[in-house]
Amino acid sequence: MTRNYGSLRDPNAEYTMRDLSAESMGVRAKRGGGRDVAITDVQCTMVDGNFPWTLVRVYTDAGIVGTGEAYWGAGVPELIERMRPFLVGENPLDIDRLYEHLVQKTSGEGSIEGVTVTAISGIEVALHDLAGKILELPAYQLLGGKYRDETRVYCDCHTAAEADPAACADEAERVVAELGYDALKFDLDVPSGHGKDRANRHLRPAEIRHKAEVVERVTERVGDRADVAFDCHWTFSANSAERLADALKPYDVWWLEDPVPPENLDVQRRVTRSTLTPIAAGENRYRVSEHRRLVEDGTVDIVAPDLPKVGGMRETRKIADLAHQHYVPVAMHNVASPVATMASAQVAATIPNALAVEYHSYELGWWGDLVEEPVIEEGSIRVPEEPGLGVTLDMDVVADNMVEGETLFDEA
């Protein structure tokens, strides 16, 4: 049976926002500028990067196209296709209204959290790129203007499977000295050779000593030249996380990320309050509603939303605003292509409490080739003044690296 999901357009709706003239806003849309523009199509293509990047494009009858990105996840492209009828014919400048209607229309698919929010995120990022191009404004200006011209980037160096402390220190030195980063992250959830049973989440004393040695070697090697965070990927029990955090107190740890599983916020708060080692979490929380308890209850020292997963650019800004009210800084988790990385940098420029944006692909040589413009230079991202996100897909690179079976989206 074919279901007719209808359209978002309400013929009885009255818009109080007056039309913006082409002269005052510098609009060059085909249909005369201002608000006289409509969405004609939504398409997505998955690129086989270090993760399967889900790129989203929103097309208009003005010939202007916006590009976004959703966090990878099974079913995300299908959900984006499911949302297409709810967008065609709508005005792309009504970003908030379209966002909330997508949430309402996909409530049956679980639009409170999970991959449905992720799919909406990709569309929302594309709408910001599109609206910026229509209005000839950089995306950060649509969010209220900027605090800084550059966004700091922290390089996720991962950790070799054997987690050799000396090798980790050597890699930290290389990334700082040769690649120009002054902010790094390493993994602490890799096998140490001392564990007996990873399923029980318990850390034996020898394992804690090994992880502390990794931290000691890395932080001592780069010293005052770089901040270093360490990721646990929700691996440990409450007591093990507390003992690990306690063992790391003597070292200059930027933050310890996700030491316990994400579901139980009471345990997360217990671990955070038990130590002076800064604790970060947030990438597995959705929208501002789920981040509220992380921030309001003192559950984290640093909140780490993932923009193309959490709900998009405006939702990330709302999370940052909430965190700012409680004097909590924001460090954006990010495993994305240059598209969502630039979206994260644009948002980070607009919030006072931004620490840095993650870069997870330093071992992928063609990462920066996906777009025509430079993105990360000497450990930071210059926030573009060009309209929209300020990046342009290189369609040849997209075509050469698509996930098998994917179809390249239209140029315009």
Side-chain angles (χ1 to χ4, degrees):
M1 180 177 66
T2 301
R3 298 177 63 188
N4 181 9
Y5 293 108
S7 168
L8 290 181
R9 184 176 294 279
D10 179 358
N12 298 316
E14 294 183 2
Y15 296 100
T16 58
M17 180 179 177
R18 64 180 178 85
D19 286 354
L20 302 173
S21 71
E23 181 179 358
S24 63
M25 297 305 297
V27 178
R28 300 293 183 267
K30 182 187 70 176
R31 297 177 63 195
R35 292 179 50 81
D36 191 17
V37 59
I39 295 171
T40 58
D41 200 6
V42 180
Q43 300 178 16
C44 71
T45 295
M46 295 184 71
V47 174
D48 191 11
N50 56 327
F51 293 92
W53 304 323
T54 305
L55 303 180
V56 183
R57 303 201 94 193
V58 177
Y59 299 78
T60 68
D61 60 357
I64 303 174
V65 181
T67 302
E69 180 178 355
Y71 189 94
W72 63 279
V76 170
E78 291 79 7
L79 283 164
I80 291 172
E81 176 61 24
R82 154 86 167 91
M83 296 173 195
R84 179 182 172 276
F86 307 144
L87 294 166
V88 171
E90 295 297 327
N91 191 310
L93 298 178
D94 295 331
I95 298 176
D96 276 357
R97 181 178 68 83
L98 294 179
Y99 182 93
E100 290 302 326
H101 276 281
L102 288 179
V103 170
Q104 293 167 13
K105 289 289 187 178
T106 58
S107 59
E109 285 86 348
S111 56
I112 296 174
E113 60 183 17
V115 294
T116 306
V117 173
T118 296
I120 295 173
S121 301
I123 294 170
E124 194 261 13
V125 174
L127 289 175
H128 276 87
D129 185 45
L130 180 55
K133 291 174 179 177
I134 293 171
L135 301 175
E136 295 190 351
L137 293 171
Y140 74 78
Q141 198 67 65
L142 303 177
L143 299 172
K146 60 183 178 179
Y147 282 86
R148 55 192 66 84
D149 296 324
E150 292 186 348
T151 296
R152 191 183 190 193
V153 175
Y154 74 87
C155 183
D156 191 326
C157 303
H158 321 306
T159 300
E162 65 274 12
D164 177 63
C168 291
D170 289 343
E171 183 65 354
E173 175 68 35
R174 186 185 77 85
V175 172
V176 171
E178 298 181 15
L179 304 185
Y181 290 92
D182 66 356
L184 315 174
K185 186 168 77 174
F186 284 85
D187 296 338
L188 283 186
D189 59 318
V190 294
S192 64
H194 301 289
K196 298 295 184 182
D197 185 351
R198 287 176 62 86
N200 63 25
R201 302 185 181 278
H202 177 71
L203 284 173
R204 302 173 69 210
E207 293 179 278
I208 291 180
R209 287 194 295 271
H210 173 267
K211 296 180 190 308
E213 185 180 0
V214 171
V215 173
E216 179 182 21
R217 291 286 192 95
V218 170
T219 54
E220 287 186 353
R221 178 69 70 85
V222 296
D224 294 334
R225 293 177 292 160
D227 295 314
V228 189
F230 296 89
D231 199 341
C232 301
H233 292 109
W234 320 280
T235 303
F236 308 126
S237 67
N239 176 260
S240 292
E242 289 173 325
R243 290 187 293 119
L244 175 61
D246 188 66
L248 301 185
K249 285 194 298 185
Y251 311 114
D252 292 329
V253 174
W254 200 12
W255 70 74
L256 186 65
E257 186 171 328
D258 292 318
V260 293
E263 297 88 355
N264 193 322
L265 294 184
D266 293 331
V267 175
Q268 177 76 59
R269 182 172 59 251
R270 165 188 159 184
V271 171
T272 299
R273 293 182 177 180
S274 72
T275 180
L276 292 177
T277 299
I279 303 296
E283 69 174 273
N284 265 352
R285 293 287 160 185
Y286 294 85
R287 305 196 68 189
V288 68
S289 55
E290 289 199 356
H291 283 78
R292 181 179 59 81
R293 282 190 62 199
L294 278 179
V295 173
E296 290 183 349
D297 294 348
T299 307
V300 291
D301 298 304
I302 298 166
V303 66
D306 191 301
L307 185 148
K309 180 181 185 180
V310 74
M313 297 178 71
R314 298 176 86 82
E315 199 73 13
T316 302
R317 172 63 196 262
K318 291 177 184 178
I319 292 167
D321 288 343
L322 172 68
H324 185 51
Q325 294 174 23
H326 295 267
Y327 316 122
V328 172
V330 176
M332 293 190 196
H333 182 265
N334 175 60
V335 297
S337 83
V339 175
T341 300
M342 183 59 79
S344 295
Q346 293 266 357
V347 174
T350 71
I351 60 177
N353 48 337
L355 291 180
V357 171
E358 182 176 13
Y359 173 50
H360 204 279
S361 309
Y362 81 117
E363 295 171 316
L364 188 67
W366 58 270
W367 182 88
D369 298 335
L370 192 74
V371 297
E372 297 177 2
E373 301 83 359
V375 178
I376 301 174
E377 296 181 293
E378 298 183 353
S380 66
I381 298 174
R382 181 192 66 82
V383 182
E385 295 299 324
E386 291 73 22
L389 294 181
V391 291
T392 308
L393 288 177
D394 186 317
M395 288 299 188
D396 291 334
V397 177
V398 174
D400 289 343
N401 293 282
M402 288 190 300
V403 171
E404 185 176 355
E406 287 291 298
T407 301
L408 185 66
F409 33 47
D410 297 338
E411 288 272 3

